[in-house]
Amino acid sequence: KGSKGSKGAPEAASGPKGAGSPEGIPGLDAAAMERLKADEGIQAALRDPKMMEKFKALLSDPANVEKRLDADPELAALDAKMHELLTRGVPREPIPAAELERSRTLSA
């Protein structure tokens, strides 16, 4: 999902316009940050102090991303929205054959 593999916690920007914005998310370039900042739904969610704390915890604990997302539908929705926004128009890399075969075996 969108935040998987990210390490470190974002820091809230200062000032009213940037309050609650995820600043300095590792792995995101300036253009990606601008796409996140331009989305009112994401900004509204991150202005909520409880949601921002959940988001920080998600980024700081990559080993438990799936567990946290499964336990919190609101956080999972934010993660999915961010992932969709950040990957829109980005071509997907092909799934390696071994991984594809493993997923087929697991789902059988």
Side-chain angles (χ1 to χ4, degrees), residues 8-58:
E11 296 178 17
S14 61
K17 186 172 183 178
S21 298
E23 294 293 334
I25 297 175
L28 292 186
D29 60 21
M33 288 302 300
E34 288 306 313
R35 288 194 301 273
L36 292 178
K37 289 178 181 180
D39 187 283
E40 282 300 317
I42 290 172
Q43 290 306 301
L46 294 176
R47 279 191 292 271
D48 176 350
K50 288 182 182 178
M51 180 56 75
M52 189 61 173
E53 285 305 312
K54 291 177 188 181
F55 185 67
K56 286 180 181 181
L58 182 75

Side-chain angles (χ1 to χ4, degrees), residues 83-84 87-95:
H83 180 70
E84 190 276 327
T87 60
R88 188 180 305 150
V90 175
R92 290 185 168 199
E93 293 183 25
I95 299 172

Side-chain angles (χ1 to χ4, degrees), residues 61-90:
D61 187 13
N64 288 309
V65 166
E66 295 299 322
K67 180 180 173 185
R68 288 179 185 276
L69 294 176
D70 289 345
D72 190 331
E74 190 178 24
L75 183 60
L78 175 63
D79 180 73
K81 184 172 185 170
M82 292 174 85
H83 180 70
E84 190 276 327
L85 183 67
L86 293 173
T87 60
R88 188 180 305 150
V90 175

